[in-house]
Amino acid sequence: MDSGVGLVLSMVLAVSSVFSAVEGFKPSGWTKATATFYGGSDASGTMGGACGYGNLYSTGYGTRTAALSTALFGDSAACGQCYKIICDYRADPRWCLKGVSVTVTATNFCPPNYALPNDDGGWCNPPRQHFDMAQPAWEKIGIYRGGIVPVLFQRVPCKKHGGVRFTINGLNYFELVLVSNVAGPGSVQSMSVKGSKTGWLPMSRNWGANWQSNAYLNGQPLSFRVTTTDGQTLVFSDIVPSNWGFGQTFSSRLQFS
């Protein structure tokens, strides 16, 4: 084989190993659900949450977020997913705004309340599909006094500014890595880490969007291999320098589609 052709082929193979063959995330069909709101008019009560994104203002998620019921949350698998929501005006013209929609990101879990019936307070009880939306997002589609409204929703691609971000917490033999600002499908299915002294090490979901490793990786540049819930895979090579410290966030230039 000609050396020039071999070089080109090697480069193509290297690129293809970083990107999966899966195309960009496509919207789903429309599904019926219900919605309420929480967190106050400035969404200050939505900070933190079961996905672990922390301050939603500073991490870029803002006030267009929602807590998902058990049927939608999937034991944290839905963290970061985006949903386009329309108030079902035909079903409830009194409390729905007509002809408008809002797109929210899943950042929290709405726990069930088995002390109340599904149709009277237990809105997040299984098997109900329910969105407890940040109040500013909810008021884009519904009247404040409505309380609970019927909605139609579809899962849609997430649009983000910049690349995927990694925040490392923990201590020594315990790395807890928060993956945030994920575009496309928004949610992570699996993840691995590699130091300069290790091979690829599988990570496990600890809680929310936090993934853990129990290897000693201090003093090593780190790479991450991330697969989203629709099967896209990206490798973030040496995204973390060798002098990293716990509590730091590292931004990449790579993003899912």
Side-chain angles (χ1 to χ4, degrees):
M1 179 184 294
D2 181 83
S3 60
V5 174
L7 177 61
V8 172
L9 179 59
S10 298
M11 292 174 64
V12 170
L13 290 174
V15 171
S16 65
S17 69
V18 174
F19 297 94
S20 69
V22 177
E23 295 182 2
F25 182 77
K26 300 295 191 297
S28 70
W30 290 93
T31 305
K32 291 183 178 181
T34 50
T36 50
F37 65 87
Y38 78 116
S41 60
D42 61 354
S44 59
T46 67
M47 298 301 107
C51 290
Y53 295 127
N55 186 316
L56 301 178
Y57 302 141
S58 61
T59 52
Y61 293 96
T63 61
R64 296 192 176 188
T65 63
L68 274 54
S69 65
T70 299
L72 291 169
F73 193 64
D75 195 24
S76 300
C79 283
Q81 292 180 0
C82 297
Y83 299 87
K84 185 176 183 179
I85 301 177
I86 298 172
C87 198
D88 192 347
Y89 185 83
R90 290 185 177 181
D92 192 349
R94 182 181 182 188
W95 301 119
C96 287
L97 297 178
K98 187 177 182 180
V100 291
S101 66
V102 65
T103 298
V104 298
T105 304
T107 59
N108 204 356
F109 172 58
C110 181
N113 185 349
Y114 295 113
L116 297 174
N118 288 12
D119 61 351
D120 189 16
W123 310 118
C124 290
N125 295 353
R128 289 187 67 116
Q129 297 191 102
H130 184 86
F131 296 87
D132 198 14
M133 302 169 63
Q135 185 177 327
W138 193 89
E139 290 186 315
K140 297 289 184 182
I141 61 170
I143 305 298
Y144 177 85
R145 290 181 295 125
I148 180 170
V149 294
V151 298
L152 301 171
F153 76 92
Q154 65 171 171
R155 192 173 157 205
V156 295
C158 297
K159 298 179 180 179
K160 302 296 180 185
H161 297 289
V164 178
R165 294 195 289 263
F166 302 90
T167 302
I168 306 178
N169 290 300
L171 182 65
N172 295 334
Y173 285 90
F174 175 63
E175 295 83 27
L176 190 66
V177 181
L178 172 68
V179 186
S180 61
N181 204 53
V182 178
S187 50
V188 175
Q189 176 178 284
S190 63
M191 182 171 169
S192 300
V193 61
K194 184 173 77 69
S196 58
K197 301 176 182 178
T198 74
W200 285 106
L201 305 171
M203 304 180 76
S204 59
R205 189 189 300 274
N206 185 288
W207 67 279
N210 288 281
W211 294 76
Q212 76 173 65
S213 168
N214 295 108
Y216 186 78
L217 299 172
N218 295 31
Q220 302 177 53
L222 304 180
S223 301
F224 296 110
R225 183 170 61 204
V226 179
T227 299
T228 52
T229 48
D230 70 336
Q232 295 184 60
T233 298
L234 289 177
V235 174
F236 301 83
S237 297
D238 296 328
I239 183 65
V240 179
S242 60
N243 62 345
W244 63 271
F246 291 103
Q248 291 183 309
T249 298
F250 302 90
S251 299
S252 75
R253 295 182 179 180
L254 296 179
Q255 188 55 272
F256 293 94
S257 59

